[in-house]
Amino acid sequence: MGNYAIIQNGFVIDPEQNSIEQRDIGIIDGKLADSKSVLEQGTNIDFIDAEGAYIAPGFIDLHVHVFKDATTLGIEADLVGIKQGVTTIVDAGSAGYANYQLLKDTVIERSVTEVLAFLNIAKEGLGAGLSELADPTNLMTTEEAKEIFASEPQIVGLKARMSGSVVKEQGIAPLQHARLVADTLHKPIMVHIGNPPPYLDEVFPLLIKGDIVTHAFHGKKHGILNEQGHLIDEAEKALQRGVLLDVGHGTSSFSYQTLRKFKENYRQPFSISTDIYLNNYDNPVGSLMLTMSKLLELGFTLEEVVRAVTIQAAQAIGLTEQGTLQNGTRADLTIFTLHEHPTDLVDSEGAVLIANRVLQPKITVRNGRVVFRQ
Ligand SMILES: [Zn+2]
């Protein structure tokens, strides 16, 4: 593919305009451009046919695990990235201060998909088992954090997993430490929520505007909603402060029932991510597009589910070249179709939803080049 391209005949979803319209998209030297300028200036223009498909900014998955060399759960980045129509993925805490360099050498620099990272507050990330916050001597210091964040632009925030099995006797202490570190970095913390302790009325007060709560709609006890389907007080206050919610589907962290209840009472936008890894790739997660299809069937609009993996995800981690269709920004694009055929889609609780429309990847464009075609 040359320096000039025009994608034709597709329906363009612009998440910033909340619009869907049939129009052409131009690309000049890897950046989005007006299609008229491409026609005027271009030589050897590549015409890409998107007939019957939708074109959106490249999808962003804020929660994946792709650190194959240091963790047993890591999955191939491009398999869950560009081959699934996802142009940017964020590894959520597989790596920590001590093994980030290996993630960079083996995954970030070798993948066609853009790979970013939330750095685990535990030094070895998930590389030394899944109780990474049980020993306080494993925590990254503020000095170490400052050093690595200053030199590694792919690190977009911190990750702290707040489940009983992760923190053991430490309770809320690792998150208190993460708060101090994040305050010196001015970067968000992605907090995983699950089975307590710590309880959410201890977790939420430590979060500030821009922090991200992943696994927000899990179906376990002690979640963000009370029995009546309303947000617990501390969650409600946190959302008012600007704390963000994220799906983080995963093996055991996404419940249709929880999201249905939330949707009945709240219109708060959130990001959609997969928490995909080796053991949940086949079942129940599948892919980011399948996760989006589940939300589509739960009554969210196509524009909403696309916003959740583009502009909302981009803004959550401060990306300005991604998640947008503005001319001059990086030409990362996801071209997908809506397959209209009843399909069984399962959540983490084993509940089955018959989805009437399923998103399917068709063409993935990264830096203005076609990197995947179905
Ligand atoms: Zn995860």
Side-chain angles (χ1 to χ4, degrees), residues 175-214:
L175 188 60
Q176 290 167 332
H177 178 74
R179 171 79 277 137
L180 294 175
V181 175
D183 284 345
T184 66
L185 300 169
H186 306 290
K187 293 285 181 185
I189 310 173
M190 175 182 267
V191 178
H192 146 132
I193 60 169
N195 288 315
Y199 288 88
L200 292 184
D201 55 7
E202 294 177 280
V203 170
F204 276 111
L206 285 168
L207 305 182
I208 65 169
K209 180 178 164 70
D211 290 330
I212 303 159
V213 174
T214 193

Side-chain angles (χ1 to χ4, degrees), residues 63-65 92 126 159 161 192 215 275 277:
H63 187 161
V64 302
H65 293 282
L126 305 181
K159 176 83 187 285
R161 299 199 310 137
H192 146 132
H215 308 318
D275 185 20
Y277 48 83

